[in-house]
Amino acid sequence: MGTRRIGGAVLRQSWHSSHALLLLPIALIVVITVADLRTPEDIHLGPALVIAPALTPSFAGPRPTALVGALAVAAQVVIAIFHGGLATANHIVQIVTLTVLSVMVVIYSAVRERRRAQLAQVRTVAEAAQHVLMWPLPEQIGPLRIASLYLAAEDEAQIGGDLYAATRCDGEIRVLIGDVRGKGLSAIGEAALLLSAFRESAHRHVTLPELAAALEQSVQRYTADLEPREEAPERFVTALLVEIPDEDPVTRMTSSGHPPPLLLSPGHAVTVPSLHPSPPLGVHSTGGAEHTLDVFSFEPGDTLLLYTDGVVEARDAQGRFYPLVERVAQWTDSAPEALMHHIRRDLLAHAGGHLGDDAALIALHRTPTVPHRHHHGVLGHGASRS
């Protein structure tokens, strides 16, 4: 109900604002008509009436535009009556010209309105497809608070080649984030395949390397069966698998050519864990790569930031990459939702409002529910701290 009320309020506000703006062309018609009637007959201001219907489509639909056009033609008729009569050739030409131009503007407004409706429908379908392809991540899974962000590179698109998913398996959370080579519709099929394979296999395999090997086989089967043979060598997926136990303050990871995550700790500390990545999924046509398991500390109060390369490869007007580590060091104490808000605003500002590649991020915040702090397994920390 809350959403409907908000949507209704927005629509009402838009309706009132567009109708308020209609006063502008109407006032313009009145001003031009009065000015023309008060000037000598050898000065013709009537042709300026075309400005009113030409201005209206910028904020109103075809019907209001037709109304303004009719008022403009009527005003031209009034001017003709008071300045020499309707039979004069000059006034006849002005009336006919204004009528033709008003009709053309109305047709343009109708076409524009139809395309806008089609675009709105495409956006709705794209948003629905995104929810089917990538189920919205819950705000809380076990000891983790989660927030995610997806920015598609394709104009007016909601989906692309980046992907993420999370599932709970026997007292631990498993997360996948990946990036299919390419962007837009050409990458959606492979992204859907990988997400389906992850959801099906995440509960079947004991270790992350085994799960990564299963995903590798799924990508290879897809490439062999569905991809054109000449494009097969160019199709691959970078992926990062994350496993976070409920009780142990650690994170286990397996990377397939994917950028390492960032570990954000209170006090503006940012750590880049050292990973031992294998090649991207789909690179090996036979057999498969060996997948290494990396383990490092993930303490209560820390936030693990997963991202795709569309984030760090976003360029500004001078061609400089987005400095993710430097920027997120300002927001290490932010909640996951606030962190995503900061990054979205800052990333789009850096890239001039448009990304050259799809970008996805997930923030995983471990809430301080673990009663004791200890390390488990092999800890691998990078040297980068801000």
Side-chain angles (χ1 to χ4, degrees):
M1 289 295 294
T3 303
R4 291 181 180 178
R5 288 174 183 169
I6 293 173
V10 171
L11 289 175
R12 285 194 298 272
Q13 182 179 1
S14 175
W15 187 87
H16 287 302
S17 64
S18 63
H19 280 68
L21 286 173
L22 273 177
L23 296 176
L24 177 61
I26 293 175
L28 187 62
I29 291 173
V30 173
V31 170
I32 294 175
T33 303
V34 172
D36 194 297
L37 292 175
R38 290 181 176 272
T39 57
E41 292 188 7
D42 59 336
I43 299 177
H44 303 284
L45 299 178
L49 288 169
V50 73
I51 298 175
L55 180 66
T56 307
S58 62
F59 54 82
R63 291 185 179 181
T65 302
L67 173 63
V68 172
L71 291 176
V73 173
Q76 183 65 62
V77 171
V78 170
I79 292 173
I81 292 174
F82 283 91
H83 277 320
L86 291 173
T88 60
N90 183 47
H91 288 149
I92 292 175
V93 170
Q94 290 183 17
I95 293 172
V96 171
T97 302
L98 182 58
T99 302
V100 172
L101 290 175
S102 297
V103 170
M104 293 178 63
V105 170
V106 171
I107 294 174
Y108 162 77
S109 178
V111 173
R112 182 170 175 265
E113 191 75 9
R114 184 173 62 181
R115 289 184 177 178
R116 181 184 297 177
Q118 292 173 343
L119 180 58
Q121 184 178 11
V122 169
R123 286 176 175 172
T124 302
V125 173
E127 186 175 357
Q130 183 189 35
H131 285 291
V132 171
L133 179 62
M134 291 194 302
W135 304 338
L137 299 180
E139 296 181 358
Q140 183 93 28
I141 303 181
L144 299 181
R145 288 181 59 189
I146 302 177
S148 60
L149 172 64
Y150 193 101
L151 298 171
E154 292 287 345
D155 292 336
E156 313 301 343
Q158 301 289 331
I159 50 180
D162 288 9
L163 56 101
Y164 53 72
T167 187
R168 188 168 180 80
C169 307
D170 299 328
E172 60 191 17
I173 297 95
R174 285 184 168 180
V175 181
L176 163 70
I177 186 168
D179 182 5
V180 178
R181 184 186 183 277
K183 60 184 179 180
L185 295 176
S186 62
I188 291 175
E190 197 162 348
L193 167 87
L194 192 62
L195 286 170
S196 299
F198 171 76
R199 292 168 183 146
E200 180 69 20
S201 304
H203 300 269
R204 295 183 176 182
H205 299 280
V206 177
T207 67
L208 288 186
E210 293 176 350
L211 177 57
L215 298 182
E216 172 82 35
Q217 293 175 1
S218 297
V219 172
Q220 289 180 5
R221 284 196 299 269
Y222 174 85
T223 303
D225 296 341
L226 301 178
E227 287 290 334
R229 182 171 299 179
E230 62 275 8
E231 295 183 8
E234 300 179 359
R235 305 298 296 181
F236 59 84
V237 185
T238 67
L240 181 68
L241 292 169
V242 181
E243 184 178 83
I244 304 172
D246 290 349
E247 300 298 330
D248 293 333
V250 299
T251 292
R252 293 187 280 269
M253 291 192 179
T254 293
S255 173
S256 298
H258 200 81
L262 302 181
L263 185 64
L264 283 57
S265 302
H268 307 289
V270 180
T271 304
V272 183
S274 59
L275 298 181
H276 302 83
S278 60
L281 304 178
V283 169
H284 292 272
S285 59
T286 58
E290 293 186 1
H291 300 277
T292 304
L293 182 67
D294 293 288
V295 185
F296 59 92
S297 177
F298 182 26
E299 302 286 353
D302 291 345
T303 298
L304 192 65
L305 182 63
L306 316 179
Y307 58 92
T308 59
D309 59 9
V311 177
V312 293
E313 293 180 0
R315 297 175 182 264
D316 62 9
Q318 287 73 42
R320 295 171 297 192
F321 291 116
Y322 181 67
L324 180 62
V325 176
E326 175 186 332
R327 299 297 175 85
V328 299
Q330 311 170 62
W331 310 310
T332 56
D333 297 322
S334 299
E337 298 81 3
L339 178 62
M340 292 294 100
H341 173 74
H342 291 314
I343 294 176
R344 176 190 177 94
R345 182 179 58 185
D346 192 57
L347 177 61
L348 290 177
H350 176 86
H354 178 78
L355 299 180
D357 193 7
D358 301 326
L361 302 100
I362 306 175
L364 307 169
H365 178 76
R366 184 184 279 275
T367 56
T369 57
V370 181
H372 58 279
R373 298 165 65 92
H374 65 277
H375 299 293
H376 174 74
V378 180
L379 304 183
H381 289 275
S384 174
R385 278 192 177 270
S386 300

